[in-house]
């Protein structure tokens, strides 16, 4: 049996190594929202708009940059370990070294955002990426020297060396760009930022360049071997398991971020309770009421968005690069949820700030949901390849899945417009929404059946 | 195919739900170390001993209580979902509600630790546990009303109702104890704490009571059906996948805790850099040097402990309750590592405090490693059932695995005694240890082979 062979020859299935890497990368991608949330808005009198501008300037930028770069690194990691499917101790240790460098990237972004004109942040970032490139190349060379570690499709192909060179070429592009960026940073640091931006969109740029060339010169046939891996085609499959594991990590850490703050900040000091509240703990805790509500609201929303994601990926048979990109956008918004919920309860009742915070929450929920819906639409577009037969357009579960996916965007949109009209009841509307949505999910199947039956009754009454 | 049936009838494999639950529970179990780490030791002049006593009093107690209770809840969750192996939307939503209550438990502990004489913390905790008990009972009743959701062994057994009642009885014991505790809290709150302690050790207490009774009256045969699930025997298997997933979550969050602090606290303020360091960012960052070292040291140690854990569970075929308990102890010490490393670099060079912080780090690493070794010893004790043939005593990989497991305890012990003798070089010794250990792991296979060859040469020179 394969599990008998494992360990015996020192080689192992890479499954758990990848699960651990996914957990690490998803945590690192998401925790950078914490510094944003910890930025206390100075004084309730100031306009939220100003504070938000302050936040936007550096910390949100760091959060988004981290999320983007880390997911790019994660996609590269997936592609690498789709080629190398078995590992040994040496590869496991090299991978850990790589992970250590990835987790250090957010700090270099913090430096860049705080000191945009100082080149130290860029140099540190480029240094990390270059070392990562070297480690990845060592991993590739090591794995190709022991072909039993490789994907079977590559093992049986005759031109192993071609493959190796192709992969090394793709891997080394990013460190080379970073090397250029670090040199340019001494001359004109703005150019380095442009180069770093190019690094992120490199696959898309090279794709479109190739497309232009093929239109100009005529169709250029790629070698059939290199089409299987490292193609950067939008329909290139990324391991569905890993997309799920990464999403699970993000949803799990986001769901628990608020309880961490509550445990640290919302346990009153015994002396304060004695002095201000006459020793009554309940009275002291009533001050924190809205924050508990924020916690439960945020947990429920994140949990239900996970639930929708879970249902969606149950019906999907293959995750393509494009779907994974949409998934990343959805997760980036999910990461902003705890911040939005915290804002919602930081301002006095019926203030203009509270209204805006609630509307920001609605916008974030809307976008988190709409990108999930977009994954579904993209999956439907290639439904023969990406969906189980029973959920394809017109399939039994199709309408039900659509209802699940559109519930949050619709509710968020509705709440947004309701708070615009009935601004003095905005908090009550928002809380009502928080409480109803979980129950709506519980009875969704009944609702959909009832809705369909009614539609049928109206449009085809004779059937 | 099974994946075709999935979703079709609205039922799904529970795999991803469990992975998400594991991620949530492992994060919640571990993040309570953050409030401990954030307790700033006031002034460097004070003795560490006093500060540690202050820490020990409340926050470490909260961390350990959370870790213990949450892992107990997690074990109960494993047992429940070993009986229910398929889920539908309704079960997924009920499980999310259960998770929300589990993540709220750390807050009730914080209240209990800060206000030990106020019954509100106990009442909140008991309330959460009772609601959780009700939700779990609903899950059991719901699943038994749809037998296709159950484990096949239970599905084919004839006495489904016996099973249902047995499981409900086991589940409801804990909420009942909590109900008693909440009533006693109004009379004498000390009794409630005793009752809550009993809840944690309930399986062990009921086991030993049964054992005493069987010795007194004679062997009492249990029904063969109920022996398979919910037995609380130490050799009852817990899903190996879930033990691994939970451990991965703990290792991942612990490895990344320090970078979170570094990103928040170690980005200097631009005005400070301008005033104090004449605009030189490098000079300003040199102040934080030790903290980067702490980060890399902590990440490497946690990563390598994960690596050892990964190798260990690769050789294990079945995880028993007892092994999982030892694993929990090991993880609880791993959770303390970032704190220990942070302490190591918070004190001035060659101070008494620094020496003690380094020694505490060594003790924590030692115990984290020694409990991993204990898992291996327990697995060897039942090697026919729990280990792959090639690693059993005398097997090919046996010595190598033993070397991997004993490296960290030995190194930690050695460092501890060296720092006792050469106390003025303690920091250098510790940093040297940090740098050498990863390389020791890389060449461990060579070292072991060399060592074995030398032993053979000494003891059996004729072979």
């Amino acid at each position: 049996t394969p599990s008998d062979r494992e360990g015996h020859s020192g080689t192992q299935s890479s499954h758990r190594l990848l699960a651990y890497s996914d957990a690490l990368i998803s945590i690192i991608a998401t925790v950078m929202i914490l510094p944003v949330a910890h930025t206390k808005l100075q004084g309730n009198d100031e306009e939220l708009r100003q504070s938000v501008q302050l936040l936007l300037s550096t910390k949100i930028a760091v959060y988004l940059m981290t999320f983007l770069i880390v997911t790019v690194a994660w996609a590269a990691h997936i592609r690498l370990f789709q080629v190398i499917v078995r590992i040994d101790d040496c590869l496991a240790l090299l991978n850990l070294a790589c992970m250590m460098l990835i987790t250090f990237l957010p700090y270099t972004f913090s430096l860049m955002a705080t000191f945009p004109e100082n080149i130290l942040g860029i140099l540190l970032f480029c240094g990390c990426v270059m070392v990562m490139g070297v480690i990845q190349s060592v991993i590739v060379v090591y794995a190709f020297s022991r072909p039993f570690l490789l994907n079977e499709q590559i093992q049986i192909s005759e031109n192993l060396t071609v493959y190796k060179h192709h992969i090394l070429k793709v891997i080394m592009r990013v460190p080379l760009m970073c090397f250029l960026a670090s040199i340019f940073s001494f001359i004109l640091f703005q150019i380095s930022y442009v180069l770093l931006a190019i690094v992120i969109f490199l696959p898309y740029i090279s794709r479109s360049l190739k497309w232009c060339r093929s239109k100009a010169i005529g169709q250029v046939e790629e070698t059939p071997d290199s089409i299987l891996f490292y193609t950067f085609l939008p329909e290139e499959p990324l391991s569905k398991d890993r997309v799920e594991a990464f999403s699970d990590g993000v949803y799990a850490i986001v769901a628990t971020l608020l309880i961490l703050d509550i445990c640290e900040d919302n346990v009153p000091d015994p002396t304060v309770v004695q002095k201000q509240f006459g020793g009554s703990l309940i009275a002291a805790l009533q001050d924190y009421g809205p924050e508990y509500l924020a916690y439960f609201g945020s947990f429920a929303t994140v949990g239900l968005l996970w639930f929708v994601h879970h249902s969606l990926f149950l019906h999907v048979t293959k995750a393509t690069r494009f779907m994974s990109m949409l998934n990343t956008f959805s997760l980036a918004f999910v990461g902003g949820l705890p911040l939005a919920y915290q804002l919602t309860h930081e301002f006095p009742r019926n203030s203009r700030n509270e209204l805006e915070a609630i509307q920001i929450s609605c916008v974030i929920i809307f976008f988190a949901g709409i990108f999930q819906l977009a994954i579904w639409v993209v999956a439907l577009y290639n439904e023969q390849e990406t969906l189980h037969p029973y959920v394809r357009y017109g399939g039994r579960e199709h309408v039900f899945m659509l209802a699940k996916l559109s519930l949050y965007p619709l509710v968020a949109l509705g709440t947004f417009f309701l708070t615009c009209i009935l601004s003095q009841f905005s908090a009550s509307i928002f809380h009502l929404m928080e409480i109803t949505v979980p129950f709506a999910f519980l009875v969704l199947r009944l609702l959909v059946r009832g809705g369909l039956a009614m539609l049928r009754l109206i449009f085809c009454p004779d059937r």
Side-chain angles (χ1 to χ4, degrees), chain A residues 69-90:
Chain A
I69 284 273
V70 166
T71 45
V72 167
W74 169 73
H77 192 266
I78 293 188
R79 278 201 306 276
L80 185 60
F81 283 92
Q82 278 176 339
V83 171
I84 303 165
V85 293
R86 300 180 66 73
I87 56 159
D88 61 8
D89 284 1
C90 191

PDB file of all heavy atoms in Angstrom, chain A residues 69-90:
ATOM      1  N   ILE A  69      -0.095  40.226  -2.277  1.00  0.00           N
ATOM      2  CA  ILE A  69       1.214  39.598  -2.485  1.00  0.00           C
ATOM      3  C   ILE A  69       1.224  38.192  -1.915  1.00  0.00           C
ATOM      4  O   ILE A  69       1.738  37.251  -2.532  1.00  0.00           O
ATOM      5  CB  ILE A  69       2.316  40.441  -1.804  1.00  0.00           C
ATOM      6  CG1 ILE A  69       2.625  41.678  -2.625  1.00  0.00           C
ATOM      7  CG2 ILE A  69       3.573  39.607  -1.612  1.00  0.00           C
ATOM      8  CD1 ILE A  69       3.655  41.484  -3.698  1.00  0.00           C
ATOM      9  N   VAL A  70       0.624  38.049  -0.699  1.00  0.00           N
ATOM     10  CA  VAL A  70       0.666  36.741  -0.056  1.00  0.00           C
ATOM     11  C   VAL A  70      -0.141  35.729  -0.863  1.00  0.00           C
ATOM     12  O   VAL A  70       0.264  34.573  -0.997  1.00  0.00           O
ATOM     13  CB  VAL A  70       0.202  36.851   1.414  1.00  0.00           C
ATOM     14  CG1 VAL A  70      -0.093  35.488   1.990  1.00  0.00           C
ATOM     15  CG2 VAL A  70       1.263  37.532   2.240  1.00  0.00           C
ATOM     16  N   THR A  71      -1.267  36.167  -1.445  1.00  0.00           N
ATOM     17  CA  THR A  71      -2.028  35.205  -2.252  1.00  0.00           C
ATOM     18  C   THR A  71      -1.296  34.892  -3.562  1.00  0.00           C
ATOM     19  O   THR A  71      -1.417  33.771  -4.068  1.00  0.00           O
ATOM     20  CB  THR A  71      -3.461  35.686  -2.552  1.00  0.00           C
ATOM     21  OG1 THR A  71      -3.415  37.047  -2.949  1.00  0.00           O
ATOM     22  CG2 THR A  71      -4.340  35.558  -1.332  1.00  0.00           C
ATOM     23  N   VAL A  72      -0.538  35.866  -4.084  1.00  0.00           N
ATOM     24  CA  VAL A  72       0.285  35.567  -5.262  1.00  0.00           C
ATOM     25  C   VAL A  72       1.327  34.510  -4.910  1.00  0.00           C
ATOM     26  O   VAL A  72       1.525  33.521  -5.641  1.00  0.00           O
ATOM     27  CB  VAL A  72       0.954  36.851  -5.800  1.00  0.00           C
ATOM     28  CG1 VAL A  72       2.040  36.511  -6.805  1.00  0.00           C
ATOM     29  CG2 VAL A  72      -0.082  37.763  -6.432  1.00  0.00           C
ATOM     30  N   ALA A  73       1.982  34.700  -3.745  1.00  0.00           N
ATOM     31  CA  ALA A  73       2.992  33.724  -3.301  1.00  0.00           C
ATOM     32  C   ALA A  73       2.346  32.361  -3.076  1.00  0.00           C
ATOM     33  O   ALA A  73       2.934  31.318  -3.382  1.00  0.00           O
ATOM     34  CB  ALA A  73       3.655  34.209  -2.011  1.00  0.00           C
ATOM     35  N   TRP A  74       1.116  32.395  -2.550  1.00  0.00           N
ATOM     36  CA  TRP A  74       0.396  31.138  -2.293  1.00  0.00           C
ATOM     37  C   TRP A  74       0.076  30.415  -3.603  1.00  0.00           C
ATOM     38  O   TRP A  74       0.241  29.190  -3.700  1.00  0.00           O
ATOM     39  CB  TRP A  74      -0.866  31.470  -1.502  1.00  0.00           C
ATOM     40  CG  TRP A  74      -1.840  30.362  -1.363  1.00  0.00           C
ATOM     41  CD1 TRP A  74      -1.706  29.259  -0.579  1.00  0.00           C
ATOM     42  CD2 TRP A  74      -3.112  30.260  -2.011  1.00  0.00           C
ATOM     43  NE1 TRP A  74      -2.817  28.470  -0.700  1.00  0.00           N
ATOM     44  CE2 TRP A  74      -3.694  29.061  -1.573  1.00  0.00           C
ATOM     45  CE3 TRP A  74      -3.805  31.063  -2.906  1.00  0.00           C
ATOM     46  CZ2 TRP A  74      -4.943  28.649  -2.007  1.00  0.00           C
ATOM     47  CZ3 TRP A  74      -5.037  30.653  -3.338  1.00  0.00           C
ATOM     48  CH2 TRP A  74      -5.599  29.460  -2.895  1.00  0.00           C
ATOM     49  N   ALA A  75      -0.352  31.170  -4.630  1.00  0.00           N
ATOM     50  CA  ALA A  75      -0.652  30.553  -5.923  1.00  0.00           C
ATOM     51  C   ALA A  75       0.616  29.926  -6.509  1.00  0.00           C
ATOM     52  O   ALA A  75       0.579  28.820  -7.071  1.00  0.00           O
ATOM     53  CB  ALA A  75      -1.243  31.587  -6.883  1.00  0.00           C
ATOM     54  N   ALA A  76       1.757  30.625  -6.352  1.00  0.00           N
ATOM     55  CA  ALA A  76       3.029  30.074  -6.831  1.00  0.00           C
ATOM     56  C   ALA A  76       3.354  28.780  -6.083  1.00  0.00           C
ATOM     57  O   ALA A  76       3.839  27.802  -6.676  1.00  0.00           O
ATOM     58  CB  ALA A  76       4.143  31.089  -6.635  1.00  0.00           C
ATOM     59  N   HIS A  77       3.058  28.781  -4.783  1.00  0.00           N
ATOM     60  CA  HIS A  77       3.305  27.597  -3.952  1.00  0.00           C
ATOM     61  C   HIS A  77       2.448  26.424  -4.419  1.00  0.00           C
ATOM     62  O   HIS A  77       2.921  25.289  -4.508  1.00  0.00           O
ATOM     63  CB  HIS A  77       3.003  27.954  -2.495  1.00  0.00           C
ATOM     64  CG  HIS A  77       3.480  26.950  -1.503  1.00  0.00           C
ATOM     65  ND1 HIS A  77       2.681  25.946  -1.022  1.00  0.00           N
ATOM     66  CD2 HIS A  77       4.680  26.783  -0.907  1.00  0.00           C
ATOM     67  CE1 HIS A  77       3.370  25.218  -0.167  1.00  0.00           C
ATOM     68  NE2 HIS A  77       4.579  25.697  -0.065  1.00  0.00           N
ATOM     69  N   ILE A  78       1.172  26.713  -4.742  1.00  0.00           N
ATOM     70  CA  ILE A  78       0.293  25.656  -5.261  1.00  0.00           C
ATOM     71  C   ILE A  78       0.873  25.067  -6.537  1.00  0.00           C
ATOM     72  O   ILE A  78       0.990  23.852  -6.688  1.00  0.00           O
ATOM     73  CB  ILE A  78      -1.116  26.206  -5.577  1.00  0.00           C
ATOM     74  CG1 ILE A  78      -1.834  26.617  -4.312  1.00  0.00           C
ATOM     75  CG2 ILE A  78      -1.944  25.140  -6.304  1.00  0.00           C
ATOM     76  CD1 ILE A  78      -3.275  26.985  -4.563  1.00  0.00           C
ATOM     77  N   ARG A  79       1.255  25.963  -7.473  1.00  0.00           N
ATOM     78  CA  ARG A  79       1.756  25.474  -8.763  1.00  0.00           C
ATOM     79  C   ARG A  79       2.991  24.613  -8.570  1.00  0.00           C
ATOM     80  O   ARG A  79       3.127  23.560  -9.180  1.00  0.00           O
ATOM     81  CB  ARG A  79       2.066  26.662  -9.677  1.00  0.00           C
ATOM     82  CG  ARG A  79       0.847  27.200 -10.372  1.00  0.00           C
ATOM     83  CD  ARG A  79       1.249  27.981 -11.614  1.00  0.00           C
ATOM     84  NE  ARG A  79       2.220  29.011 -11.279  1.00  0.00           N
ATOM     85  CZ  ARG A  79       1.894  30.205 -10.823  1.00  0.00           C
ATOM     86  NH1 ARG A  79       0.639  30.533 -10.645  1.00  0.00           N
ATOM     87  NH2 ARG A  79       2.828  31.079 -10.547  1.00  0.00           N
ATOM     88  N   LEU A  80       3.892  25.073  -7.671  1.00  0.00           N
ATOM     89  CA  LEU A  80       5.126  24.325  -7.425  1.00  0.00           C
ATOM     90  C   LEU A  80       4.806  22.926  -6.912  1.00  0.00           C
ATOM     91  O   LEU A  80       5.360  21.932  -7.382  1.00  0.00           O
ATOM     92  CB  LEU A  80       5.985  25.087  -6.412  1.00  0.00           C
ATOM     93  CG  LEU A  80       7.361  24.519  -6.109  1.00  0.00           C
ATOM     94  CD1 LEU A  80       8.199  24.472  -7.369  1.00  0.00           C
ATOM     95  CD2 LEU A  80       8.070  25.339  -5.044  1.00  0.00           C
ATOM     96  N   PHE A  81       3.857  22.848  -5.946  1.00  0.00           N
ATOM     97  CA  PHE A  81       3.570  21.550  -5.343  1.00  0.00           C
ATOM     98  C   PHE A  81       2.483  20.781  -6.099  1.00  0.00           C
ATOM     99  O   PHE A  81       2.002  19.768  -5.631  1.00  0.00           O
ATOM    100  CB  PHE A  81       3.255  21.699  -3.854  1.00  0.00           C
ATOM    101  CG  PHE A  81       4.505  21.901  -3.046  1.00  0.00           C
ATOM    102  CD1 PHE A  81       4.981  23.171  -2.765  1.00  0.00           C
ATOM    103  CD2 PHE A  81       5.243  20.808  -2.626  1.00  0.00           C
ATOM    104  CE1 PHE A  81       6.153  23.351  -2.048  1.00  0.00           C
ATOM    105  CE2 PHE A  81       6.410  20.976  -1.912  1.00  0.00           C
ATOM    106  CZ  PHE A  81       6.866  22.257  -1.622  1.00  0.00           C
ATOM    107  N   GLN A  82       2.081  21.284  -7.273  1.00  0.00           N
ATOM    108  CA  GLN A  82       1.348  20.433  -8.206  1.00  0.00           C
ATOM    109  C   GLN A  82       2.334  19.654  -9.068  1.00  0.00           C
ATOM    110  O   GLN A  82       1.984  18.616  -9.632  1.00  0.00           O
ATOM    111  CB  GLN A  82       0.410  21.273  -9.093  1.00  0.00           C
ATOM    112  CG  GLN A  82      -0.898  21.606  -8.385  1.00  0.00           C
ATOM    113  CD  GLN A  82      -1.799  22.505  -9.186  1.00  0.00           C
ATOM    114  OE1 GLN A  82      -1.365  23.201 -10.094  1.00  0.00           O
ATOM    115  NE2 GLN A  82      -3.067  22.521  -8.839  1.00  0.00           N
ATOM    116  N   VAL A  83       3.561  20.177  -9.163  1.00  0.00           N
ATOM    117  CA  VAL A  83       4.608  19.462  -9.906  1.00  0.00           C
ATOM    118  C   VAL A  83       5.297  18.458  -8.983  1.00  0.00           C
ATOM    119  O   VAL A  83       5.536  17.319  -9.360  1.00  0.00           O
ATOM    120  CB  VAL A  83       5.623  20.479 -10.476  1.00  0.00           C
ATOM    121  CG1 VAL A  83       6.820  19.760 -11.055  1.00  0.00           C
ATOM    122  CG2 VAL A  83       4.960  21.359 -11.509  1.00  0.00           C
ATOM    123  N   ILE A  84       5.583  18.907  -7.745  1.00  0.00           N
ATOM    124  CA  ILE A  84       6.245  18.033  -6.764  1.00  0.00           C
ATOM    125  C   ILE A  84       5.160  17.495  -5.848  1.00  0.00           C
ATOM    126  O   ILE A  84       4.595  18.235  -5.040  1.00  0.00           O
ATOM    127  CB  ILE A  84       7.282  18.826  -5.951  1.00  0.00           C
ATOM    128  CG1 ILE A  84       8.306  19.459  -6.884  1.00  0.00           C
ATOM    129  CG2 ILE A  84       7.957  17.926  -4.929  1.00  0.00           C
ATOM    130  CD1 ILE A  84       9.140  20.531  -6.239  1.00  0.00           C
ATOM    131  N   VAL A  85       4.822  16.212  -5.969  1.00  0.00           N
ATOM    132  CA  VAL A  85       3.676  15.699  -5.222  1.00  0.00           C
ATOM    133  C   VAL A  85       4.081  14.859  -4.019  1.00  0.00           C
ATOM    134  O   VAL A  85       3.259  14.556  -3.175  1.00  0.00           O
ATOM    135  CB  VAL A  85       2.733  14.883  -6.124  1.00  0.00           C
ATOM    136  CG1 VAL A  85       2.063  15.780  -7.143  1.00  0.00           C
ATOM    137  CG2 VAL A  85       3.477  13.760  -6.799  1.00  0.00           C
ATOM    138  N   ARG A  86       5.367  14.466  -3.939  1.00  0.00           N
ATOM    139  CA  ARG A  86       5.828  13.750  -2.757  1.00  0.00           C
ATOM    140  C   ARG A  86       7.001  14.517  -2.174  1.00  0.00           C
ATOM    141  O   ARG A  86       7.728  15.194  -2.901  1.00  0.00           O
ATOM    142  CB  ARG A  86       6.231  12.314  -3.106  1.00  0.00           C
ATOM    143  CG  ARG A  86       5.085  11.487  -3.687  1.00  0.00           C
ATOM    144  CD  ARG A  86       5.497  10.074  -4.024  1.00  0.00           C
ATOM    145  NE  ARG A  86       5.840   9.305  -2.848  1.00  0.00           N
ATOM    146  CZ  ARG A  86       4.921   8.860  -1.979  1.00  0.00           C
ATOM    147  NH1 ARG A  86       3.658   9.123  -2.165  1.00  0.00           N
ATOM    148  NH2 ARG A  86       5.295   8.169  -0.930  1.00  0.00           N
ATOM    149  N   ILE A  87       7.168  14.433  -0.857  1.00  0.00           N
ATOM    150  CA  ILE A  87       8.252  15.203  -0.246  1.00  0.00           C
ATOM    151  C   ILE A  87       9.125  14.277   0.594  1.00  0.00           C
ATOM    152  O   ILE A  87       8.761  13.154   0.895  1.00  0.00           O
ATOM    153  CB  ILE A  87       7.698  16.326   0.655  1.00  0.00           C
ATOM    154  CG1 ILE A  87       6.772  15.752   1.719  1.00  0.00           C
ATOM    155  CG2 ILE A  87       7.003  17.386  -0.158  1.00  0.00           C
ATOM    156  CD1 ILE A  87       6.593  16.641   2.902  1.00  0.00           C
ATOM    157  N   ASP A  88      10.288  14.783   0.955  1.00  0.00           N
ATOM    158  CA  ASP A  88      11.075  14.115   1.995  1.00  0.00           C
ATOM    159  C   ASP A  88      11.467  15.175   3.028  1.00  0.00           C
ATOM    160  O   ASP A  88      11.071  16.334   2.929  1.00  0.00           O
ATOM    161  CB  ASP A  88      12.266  13.369   1.409  1.00  0.00           C
ATOM    162  CG  ASP A  88      13.219  14.286   0.683  1.00  0.00           C
ATOM    163  OD1 ASP A  88      13.034  15.507   0.769  1.00  0.00           O
ATOM    164  OD2 ASP A  88      14.145  13.790   0.037  1.00  0.00           O
ATOM    165  N   ASP A  89      12.237  14.782   4.026  1.00  0.00           N
ATOM    166  CA  ASP A  89      12.555  15.696   5.120  1.00  0.00           C
ATOM    167  C   ASP A  89      13.225  16.967   4.631  1.00  0.00           C
ATOM    168  O   ASP A  89      12.949  18.066   5.115  1.00  0.00           O
ATOM    169  CB  ASP A  89      13.468  14.995   6.128  1.00  0.00           C
ATOM    170  CG  ASP A  89      12.703  14.021   6.972  1.00  0.00           C
ATOM    171  OD1 ASP A  89      11.474  13.899   6.753  1.00  0.00           O
ATOM    172  OD2 ASP A  89      13.310  13.377   7.847  1.00  0.00           O
ATOM    173  N   CYS A  90      14.108  16.809   3.651  1.00  0.00           N
ATOM    174  CA  CYS A  90      14.853  17.959   3.158  1.00  0.00           C
ATOM    175  C   CYS A  90      13.909  18.983   2.533  1.00  0.00           C
ATOM    176  O   CYS A  90      13.999  20.181   2.840  1.00  0.00           O
ATOM    177  CB  CYS A  90      15.878  17.460   2.144  1.00  0.00           C
ATOM    178  SG  CYS A  90      17.050  18.695   1.688  1.00  0.00           S
TER     179      CYS A  90
END
